[in-house]
Each structure stands twice: as C-alpha cells, then as structure tokens.
Amino acid sequence: MVNIVLAAAAVIQRQDGFLLMAQRPPGRGWSGWWEFPGGKIEENESPFEALQRELQEEINISANDATLWFERSYSYPDKKVYIYFFKVTNWTGEIKSCENQLLEWQNPSHVSVAPILPTNLFVLKSILLPPVYAITNIEELGEKLFFERLKIKLEEGLKMIQVREKKLPYQDVKKIAQKILDLAKPHQAKVLINENEKLALDIGADGVHYPSHSLIQLKDRPEFSICGASCHNLEELMIAQDLEMSFAVLSPVQKTESHPLADPIGWEIFSEYANKLDMPIFALGGLNQVSLTKSWQCGGHGVAMQRSIWE
C-alpha cells in the first residue's frame, strides 16, 4: 500500500511580486534544497490549519488571507505527496527564520537559488501566468460583437488572449491582432498569435501559440518571451516540457462544439497528465469560468476558452 502524505505550502508574495523561499536545513530529507514554506498536515488538521501552524513555527507569521490556489500530487518510490498550495499576500508578524533555515526573496522571472525541490518548480512558472486564457472567436461572433465583448473582459481583468483566426487572410488577421494588442496594453494583458511567428514579430505581440503539428517539428524553444503549445496526449506534453515552453493547453477535456467527433479525455486523465509535469497546463474543451476550480483541484494551472469566455 502506498504511503500518502498530505502537506500545505505557502506561496508568500510581496507587493513587488517577489516570492519567499526557504532552504531545507541540515539533518532533514532533501537538505540544502529550496522550497516554499510549509509542511505536513497532521491528523485531524485541515490544510489551512496546518498552513497557519507551519508558518508560525517556521517563519514567525500568521497569514491574513491564505487563498487555496491549486492542489498537486507527486509520486516517489516510497510515498505519494499531495500538496495544497496557498497564495499568501498579507500576513501578521515579522518574517524570520525559526528553524535555522536560510530565507530568500526571489523574483519568479529570475530565480537565483538552487537546487529547487521538484514539487515547487511548477509554482515558479505558474505565478507568471494568469489563470484564464481566452481564444478569439471572431468567425462566429463577428468583429463588432467580439470587440465589444473583449473590452468588457479586459475591464473585468482578462490578462491573456490568443489570436486564432485561421480562415482570414493575413492582412485581415494582422489588422485584428493589432487592434487587440492596442486594447490589451493599457490593461497589461498579454497577446499571443497562433502559429504565425512573422505576424507576432510584425506587430510586437507578446508571444506565439504553437498547434501540436508545429510543436512536434520544433528543435529548440522559439525566442519569444511567451511560448504556448496545444497538446492532446502525454507525448506532446512531454515534448512541450522538454522544449521549456511557457505552458501547454491540453484538450479536449469535455465535448466541444468545434470538435464534436473528438473523444474527450475527461478530468481524470487531465489530472494524471498535469501532475506528471512541471509546467503550467490549461484545460480546454467544453469549459467555462466555473471549471477553473476543477482545473486547480486536478493539478492544472487554469482554463482556456474560445466560446464561453465571450458569452
């Protein structure tokens, strides 16, 4: 029988975006490795109660607003570790080392401490990405209605959009993409172009999203700051991870209007694949905003939507 260990971890983030990391002290397993503060959940303890106790014991603080972010499982030869990651941006007390461990504030874009526990690598990549990834659907909505909806969504906090209009001529897509980019910039929202690297360079987009047929032909990671990939199985996900892509989109999780004949993988397979990888994975296919919590519970980063996001 596999020994299952439950743990709670705190992703403590300052206003400047820096994250607090702790080095495991001598005498403990994985001594010298860096991680997020936290520890084992004791019997009859909730994840939140364990988090508060560990924060007090390890670094002398109490979290004022610990929000459960996502849940991940990791398999080792002798045990399976299930971790509840909480995001903490406000706390009481002065942070200090209480267990002889080194503490460092790290910029998630340029982490300088090493080595980092494998269970924590996913967090460093995920913290840089928003949980909702919108995909354009001008073909169905029409340009006028789409831009009306886009403005509303940007006001509501949408932070990442993929321009995917495969049936339009290059110049039309370029015009649309430029308009999306101009609307997104004041909201600090990122704009990615589907597949077309030339278009991304022409308009100064934030990155490119590669369909699976393009992904498997890549030899090296493209030189865009954000590189996404569409994946449909574990093999493609592993290729995306080996290329160090920024994230992957795994689909279809549920039945979709656009691909009615495609067999959905379901949440169980999504969870199995997501928890095998150290990269952020968005769930796509028949999902809506409510599906976000399910994605987090399954070890995913968030959800991607092409239809329901614009409703």
Side-chain angles (χ1 to χ4, degrees):
M1 186 176 173
V2 178
N3 180 28
I4 298 178
V5 177
L6 303 180
V11 182
I12 301 171
Q13 189 170 33
R14 297 191 313 207
Q15 286 190 335
D16 61 5
F18 277 54
L19 306 175
L20 184 70
M21 300 199 72
Q23 187 178 44
R24 292 182 70 82
R28 287 193 182 178
W30 297 79
S31 174
W33 289 66
W34 291 83
E35 64 179 355
F36 294 102
K40 187 178 176 182
I41 299 171
E42 302 294 349
E43 197 173 347
N44 299 321
E45 209 175 29
S46 71
F48 178 75
E49 289 168 342
L51 183 86
Q52 292 287 40
R53 175 182 52 75
E54 288 285 349
L55 289 178
Q56 196 66 58
E57 291 173 1
E58 285 188 26
I59 56 174
N60 190 49
I61 66 167
S62 295
N64 294 334
D65 63 346
T67 304
L68 182 59
W69 185 10
F70 50 74
E71 304 164 32
R72 299 275 288 175
S73 62
Y74 296 86
S75 296
Y76 297 94
D78 60 333
K79 63 185 175 182
K80 187 172 186 177
V81 180
Y82 193 92
I83 306 177
Y84 297 84
F85 285 95
F86 289 83
K87 194 178 284 187
V88 178
T89 55
N90 190 273
W91 58 89
T92 301
E94 184 181 347
I95 292 175
K96 64 180 182 181
S97 172
C98 301
E99 297 183 345
N100 198 32
Q101 78 275 47
L102 290 176
L103 301 174
E104 290 277 353
W105 287 102
Q106 292 287 301
N107 181 342
S109 300
H110 306 286
V111 176
S112 60
V113 296
I116 296 169
L117 275 179
T119 50
N120 292 257
L121 291 171
F122 172 87
V123 179
L124 293 170
K125 298 169 186 174
S126 284
I127 201 80
L128 300 170
L129 294 169
V132 173
Y133 184 29
I135 303 167
T136 63
N137 195 19
I138 291 173
E139 185 184 344
E140 287 187 16
L141 290 174
E143 204 170 322
K144 182 176 182 293
L145 182 57
F146 168 78
F147 278 106
E148 287 175 5
R149 300 278 170 85
L150 174 62
K151 289 174 184 176
I152 292 169
K153 291 299 176 180
L154 288 168
E155 291 290 343
E156 291 175 352
L158 180 64
K159 293 296 181 186
M160 195 160 74
I161 306 130
Q162 179 195 152
V163 181
R164 184 184 184 278
E165 299 297 334
K166 291 183 173 286
K167 294 185 179 180
L168 293 177
Y170 178 85
Q171 287 302 326
D172 290 352
V173 178
K174 182 179 179 181
K175 179 183 169 188
I176 286 167
Q178 185 65 63
K179 188 174 179 181
I180 291 172
L181 194 64
D182 292 343
L183 289 170
K185 275 187 177 177
H187 298 275
Q188 297 180 309
K190 305 295 184 185
V191 176
L192 280 70
I193 305 298
N194 182 278
E195 195 170 10
N196 197 318
E197 295 178 339
K198 180 182 183 301
L199 175 56
L201 291 169
D202 282 353
I203 69 168
D206 298 286
V208 173
H209 185 101
Y210 294 85
S212 55
H213 65 84
S214 297
L215 170 72
I216 61 178
Q217 293 175 359
L218 292 174
K219 298 288 187 288
D220 300 293
R221 187 192 192 279
E223 293 184 7
F224 293 95
S225 61
I226 305 176
C227 293
S230 290
C231 300
H232 308 289
N233 53 51
L234 187 57
E235 183 184 5
E236 290 172 355
L237 288 169
M238 295 300 290
I239 291 170
Q241 178 161 290
D242 290 344
L243 286 166
E244 298 185 349
M245 304 296 272
S246 308
F247 65 89
V249 172
L250 180 57
S251 70
V253 176
Q254 297 178 165
K255 282 279 186 185
T256 69
E257 288 182 35
S258 56
H259 299 86
L261 300 179
D263 290 329
I265 60 170
W267 284 112
E268 190 173 336
I269 295 296
F270 175 86
S271 181
E272 179 189 332
Y273 292 174
N275 282 286
K276 283 182 177 174
L277 295 149
D278 295 325
M279 69 184 302
I281 299 177
F282 290 88
L284 170 67
L287 309 180
N288 54 35
Q289 198 87 23
V290 179
S291 309
L292 188 55
T293 300
K294 184 67 175 177
S295 177
W296 288 336
Q297 290 171 341
C298 291
H301 172 79
V303 293
M305 295 174 279
Q306 186 175 19
R307 285 183 175 79
S308 62
I309 186 71
W310 309 117
E311 291 175 354

